[in-house]
């Protein structure tokens, strides 16, 4: 793995799960990890409930836009984490692939999106501890 690992989060619309995961990892990693997100069928905008629950914890997604998944993005990443995008993600030898089964926040209100955010946060923190072990 590279000195500064690159993680790509992929979901269908890049409007919910992958946006939250990327923002949380970027926040917790504080520059130690390069973070990307993309979708196999990007939406027009980030889910408003997702923006709200992230704002509650001090992370602003108002400037984020869903991005289309590209082969180049996958190829440039050390770890690719899929979240319900099926077989849309190309597979390259030497990459680490994880599939996180998470509830899709699409069409859900803030009360239902908070536990999804918290689940993603716990997974992101565990991943970060693997990628960049704390200095003891």
């Amino acid at each position: 793995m590279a000195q500064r690992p690159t993680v790509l989060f992929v979901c269908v619309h890049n409007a919910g799960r992958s946006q939250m995961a990327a923002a949380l990892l970027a926040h917790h990693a504080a520059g130690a990890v390069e973070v990307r997100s993309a979708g196999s069928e990007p939406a027009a905008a980030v889910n408003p409930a997702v923006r709200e629950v992230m704002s509650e914890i001090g992370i602003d997604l108002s400037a984020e836009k869903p991005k289309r998944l590209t082969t180049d993005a996958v190829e440039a990443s050390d770890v690719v984490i899929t979240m319900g995008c099926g077989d849309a993600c190309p597979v390259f030898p030497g990459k680490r692939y994880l599939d996180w089964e998470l509830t899709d926040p699409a069409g859900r209100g803030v009360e239902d999106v908070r536990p999804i955010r918290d689940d993603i946060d716990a997974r992101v923190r565990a991943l970060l501890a693997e990628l960049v072990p704390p200095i003891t």
Side-chain angles (χ1 to χ4, degrees):
M1 193 167 299
Q3 267 316 70
R4 182 172 172 236
T6 301
V7 176
L8 171 65
F9 294 100
V10 182
C11 67
V12 177
H13 300 296
N14 190 222
R17 296 165 289 189
S18 57
Q19 288 283 347
M20 286 191 284
L24 287 161
L25 182 56
H27 173 76
H28 295 309
V33 176
E34 185 175 339
V35 183
R36 300 181 171 125
S37 71
S40 54
E41 298 172 23
V46 174
N47 178 323
V50 166
R51 284 197 314 267
E52 187 171 337
V53 300
M54 294 302 286
S55 178
E56 291 173 354
I57 60 169
I59 298 175
D60 182 9
L61 293 182
S62 63
E64 295 300 322
K65 305 273 187 256
K67 295 165 280 308
R68 178 162 301 285
L69 176 64
T70 66
T71 301
D72 290 343
V74 176
E75 197 166 23
S77 300
D78 298 302
V79 180
V80 179
I81 299 175
T82 58
M83 306 171 176
C85 62
D87 296 329
C89 192
V91 175
F92 290 97
K95 306 287 174 202
R96 179 178 176 196
Y97 292 88
L98 300 170
D99 184 42
W100 289 356
E101 290 188 28
L102 296 160
T103 302
D104 189 346
R108 298 178 186 275
V110 171
E111 291 296 322
D112 292 329
V113 176
R114 279 188 195 110
I116 300 168
R117 175 201 61 202
D118 296 344
D119 184 5
I120 292 171
D121 190 42
R123 292 171 190 240
V124 160
R125 287 174 188 260
L127 176 68
L128 180 59
E130 287 178 37
L131 296 176
V132 184
I135 299 171
T136 56

